[in-house]
Amino acid sequence: MTGEVVLKPVAYYKGSFGSKFGIPRQSGLVKAEGRIVFEEEFRVREALRGLEGFSRLWLIWGFSANKPAKGEWQPTVRPPRLGGNTCVGVWATRSPYRPNPIGLSCVELLRIEDRELVVRGADLMDGTPIYDIKPYVAYADSFPEALCGFAAAAPEKKLTVVIPETLPLDSRQRTLLEDALALDPRPAYQDQAGKVYGMPFEGGELRFKVENNLLTVLSYTL
C-alpha cells in the first residue's frame, strides 16, 4: 500500500533557543519553559477541554531546520552519545535526519493560559511546527524496565559554565543557560579549544568558548 499524507501544523513552539545549535538533545534534560501557540484554526477553547487534568504531554513535531548534507536520508547516523564517530542505524537513534523529519517529545504541562499551553522541558527550537498533541498516560507510556541500548542513562553535565555578572541576563536566563550549556552543545566530534561559538538566545546573540571542560560565556548582545 502506498500513499501520501499531508500534515499541517496545529501550533508552533515559542521558546528561548532560536537555532538547532544549543537546544537540549532530548526533552526533560533542561527545565526550559515555552509556549505552544495554536494556529487560528485550532485556537479553540473546546479542543482543550479536559487537558488540565494531565501533567505531561506528547508533542509530535517537525524538524523544520533540517538540511541533510546530501539532500536525502542516510541509513546510518553518528549519535552524539557515542562520541559522534560511531555509526549506528537511523532506526536505533533519535537523529533529526530521517526519511520523514518528525520528532516526538514528552513535556510537562504547567498551565493553560489564554488558549495557549505553557510547557517545560521541551527540546525544541523557537518556531518549531507542532503537528499533534496527545496526553501522556503513565500506565500505557511508562516502562521503567525497558532496555535502552547505548542510551541507558541520561547524559551527565560535562562542562563547568561561567557567565560574567556584567552580561545583561536575569537569574532565570542564567540558570537556563547554565543547565543547557553544561551538557555541551557542540558537535560530539568537535573539540577545538578556544574556538568561539555563537547561538541565538531569547532575541539576542550569545558567544562562548570551551577550554579544558570550562565553558566561558564571552558576550550576550541584544
Side-chain angles (χ1 to χ4, degrees), residues 29-93:
L29 295 180
V30 176
K31 303 301 182 182
E33 291 190 16
R35 301 179 79 92
I36 296 174
V37 181
F38 289 95
E39 290 286 84
E40 192 60 35
E41 177 183 356
F42 303 104
R43 196 178 176 86
V44 180
R45 193 177 306 278
E46 286 77 12
L48 302 173
R49 186 180 301 162
L51 195 61
E52 69 279 356
F54 296 88
S55 63
R56 291 189 175 274
L57 305 173
W58 288 110
L59 304 180
I60 300 171
W61 49 276
F63 289 102
S64 55
N66 271 10
K67 294 181 180 179
K70 298 181 180 180
E72 57 186 20
W73 80 283
Q74 300 296 313
T76 60
V77 296
R78 300 182 297 170
R81 180 63 68 91
L82 296 177
N85 293 312
T86 301
C87 288
V88 298
V90 66
W91 307 131
T93 76

Side-chain angles (χ1 to χ4, degrees), residues 23-30 81 93-95 104-106 121-124 151 155 183:
I23 62 175
R25 292 192 173 104
Q26 299 291 344
S27 60
L29 295 180
V30 176
R81 180 63 68 91
T93 76
R94 297 189 179 189
S95 167
L104 176 69
S105 297
C106 185
D123 52 343
L124 306 182
L183 292 168

Side-chain angles (χ1 to χ4, degrees), residues 101-164:
I102 295 174
L104 176 69
S105 297
C106 185
V107 299
E108 183 180 358
L109 175 62
L110 298 180
R111 60 187 180 277
I112 301 172
E113 189 173 88
D114 191 27
R115 289 179 289 175
E116 296 178 0
L117 307 181
V118 181
V119 299
R120 181 164 57 196
D123 52 343
L124 306 182
M125 181 181 73
D126 182 54
T128 294
I130 297 174
Y131 298 123
D132 203 359
I133 300 167
K134 299 179 185 291
Y136 175 95
V137 181
Y139 76 84
D141 297 343
S142 178
F143 299 92
E145 75 285 358
L147 298 178
C148 298
F150 58 83
E156 297 179 356
K157 293 182 177 180
K158 299 178 180 179
L159 305 176
T160 298
V161 178
V162 174
I163 303 176

